[in-house]
Amino acid sequence: MEDSMADQQPVVELGLDTFGDRTVDQQGNPVSYPQVIRDVVEEAVLADRVGVDFFGIGEHHREDFAISAPEIALAAIAARTERIHVGTAVTVLSSDDPVRVFEKFATLDAISNGRAEIILGRGSFTESFPLFGFNLQDYEGLFEEKLNLLHELLKEQPVTWEGALRPALTNAEVYPKTENGLRAWVGVGGSPESVVRAARYGFPLVLAIIGGEPARFAPYVDLYHRALAQLGRPDLPIAVHSPGFIAETDEKARELYWPGYQAMNDRLGRERGWPPVTRDRFEAEIEHGAQHVGSPETVAQKIATTVRSLGIQRFDLKYTSGSTPHEHLMTAIELYGTEVIPRVRELLAADAAPEETAIPEPAETPAP
């Protein structure tokens, strides 16, 4: 008898995310923006080849990231890959238009033959607001209103809608239609209100865990499940997006990852008033926090722990942090697909396997 569809599904989906960080070459020279974009496409092609389930690209509009139009890069990736799902991490919906978001992803879905996904969020940077003429004072209202409209558009039926910050629509049809609908998630950074909003609209949840012990997000997972239940909705998948890096050994992974991590965090610190990051803090985040950095075995064990502690259905490793050269990123992707993913599934399968019960020896029959 053939296996059921449920039996064929992996224990957990395992993906990769990048923001298209501007890298350096092996001599430490900055790589051009066009080359970084081409490199990201090659990284995704490799991810597809080694068995990664999802490849996400973040949207940014600042000098340290090369990709401001992820849908175009994703279309190039979709045309060169066969099985990997492709999507954003995240689409900054507040400063985009829901109609254009639907149109772009419906097109990407066609190119990829149904492999497109959207992760919707507000983003961790605000450069897109003045760039596209939006008022930061409307930060909350823009996201709420546009999420509401996109939720209606995803039904792929005529839409009549009215809001306060965007022109109304009356019986509007949006094209192209998709063959099987679009998979859309909502990404949140730890706000209870955002978790409940995702449940209210019936979107799967992505938790961005970029610092601290992943297990501390368990209350948000519980809140999401409770909100869905109270709303009468079926349970939906939860994913985690967390940073990390893989090399052949723990020591090599830390040494290759540290320079880019330090430069990125110090640059953000100068903008946001944080103190310079220390090596001790970096090591602590690897040992006890959100950084999944190390050898394939170390990273697999930590991912499995994150999956177990939160009961999630997907884990996406943000494998880039600052200027780490493309060659090292390619090695990390290959190790992730060929060693980390099989090991994580092995560890989780062992958790799920029923314990063997010893069969007692038969008692001796007394002699007559």
Side-chain angles (χ1 to χ4, degrees):
M1 185 169 140
E2 291 185 3
D3 292 337
S4 69
M5 183 63 73
D7 292 336
Q8 297 172 10
Q9 294 299 314
V11 174
V12 63
E13 294 181 353
L14 292 156
L16 290 168
D17 290 337
T18 177
F19 293 168
D21 308 53
R22 194 174 185 196
T23 55
V24 297
D25 62 21
Q26 296 286 4
Q27 290 71 46
N29 302 310
V31 174
S32 70
Y33 293 109
Q35 186 59 51
V36 171
I37 294 169
R38 290 190 289 267
D39 287 344
V40 167
V41 173
E42 294 304 322
E43 289 159 16
V45 170
L46 174 60
D48 180 61
R49 190 164 72 242
V50 297
V52 177
D53 294 313
F54 172 76
F55 193 87
I57 300 178
E59 172 196 345
H60 294 87
H61 304 270
R62 43 185 289 130
E63 64 178 349
D64 35 2
F65 302 113
I67 297 179
S68 57
E71 303 87 357
I72 297 176
L74 291 167
I77 291 165
R80 293 187 53 194
T81 55
E82 297 179 359
R83 47 163 299 282
I84 196 167
H85 280 228
V86 292
T88 44
V90 299
T91 290
V92 184
L93 185 62
S94 307
S95 57
D96 209 329
D97 186 84
V99 172
R100 291 295 289 150
V101 169
F102 176 87
E103 291 172 340
K104 288 182 286 189
F105 278 90
T107 303
L108 177 63
D109 198 60
I111 294 168
S112 66
N113 196 23
R115 292 182 282 130
E117 301 187 12
I118 320 171
I119 302 179
L120 303 159
R122 290 177 290 182
S124 57
F125 299 99
T126 58
E127 287 85 356
S128 62
F129 286 81
L131 191 63
F132 299 128
F134 294 102
N135 191 333
L136 268 174
Q137 292 182 341
D138 295 327
Y139 184 82
E140 291 289 341
L142 283 166
F143 186 73
E144 176 68 49
E145 186 170 290
K146 292 184 178 186
L147 188 66
N148 179 272
L149 174 54
L150 186 60
H151 177 258
E152 295 303 311
L153 293 166
L154 288 169
K155 298 173 184 177
E156 303 195 34
Q157 299 294 325
V159 172
T160 296
W161 177 93
E162 185 174 355
L165 300 170
R166 187 209 183 276
L169 295 174
T170 302
N171 205 33
E173 290 271 16
V174 181
Y175 302 98
K177 305 296 184 183
T178 68
E179 291 172 323
N180 295 295
L182 284 170
R183 189 183 195 189
W185 307 66
V186 167
V188 306
S191 157
E193 294 79 12
S194 296
V195 171
V196 172
R197 176 165 48 208
R200 178 158 45 89
Y201 283 108
F203 286 113
L205 183 71
V206 180
L207 291 168
I209 304 178
I210 59 175
E213 176 63 45
R216 70 189 177 90
F217 277 71
Y220 297 107
V221 172
D222 179 63
L223 174 62
Y224 182 66
H225 290 310
R226 286 190 289 110
L228 287 171
Q230 291 173 11
L231 291 162
R233 294 187 179 277
D235 222 2
L236 294 169
I238 299 176
V240 161
H241 154 104
S242 256
F245 183 75
I246 309 154
E248 292 83 354
T249 66
D250 289 348
E251 182 180 2
K252 186 173 183 180
R254 294 182 188 210
E255 292 309 312
L256 290 176
Y257 190 66
W258 164 247
Y261 175 91
Q262 181 186 33
M264 172 67 72
N265 279 271
D266 285 352
R267 181 164 55 250
L268 295 179
R270 289 190 294 272
E271 294 176 9
R272 300 181 179 186
W274 303 339
V277 67
T278 65
R279 184 64 186 244
D280 286 346
R281 174 64 183 275
F282 170 70
E283 299 285 347
E285 274 294 319
I286 294 173
E287 295 294 336
H288 308 293
Q291 292 290 337
H292 295 66
V293 175
S295 68
E297 179 65 20
T298 296
V299 173
Q301 291 281 355
K302 188 160 186 175
I303 291 173
T305 298
T306 298
V307 172
R308 292 185 194 110
S309 64
L310 298 176
I312 58 174
Q313 287 68 53
R314 186 164 91 190
F315 179 91
D316 294 334
L317 182 78
K318 181 184 176 290
Y319 67 96
T320 54
S321 181
S323 55
T324 307
H326 168 64
E327 292 79 7
H328 299 322
L329 300 177
M330 292 288 275
T331 299
I333 292 168
E334 182 145 11
L335 292 171
Y336 186 69
T338 60
E339 297 189 35
V340 174
I341 287 178
R343 180 62 174 144
V344 170
R345 291 193 173 138
E346 181 182 64
L347 291 166
L348 296 175
D351 293 344
E355 292 184 9
E356 293 186 8
T357 303
I359 300 174
E361 294 290 332
E364 291 185 8
T365 303

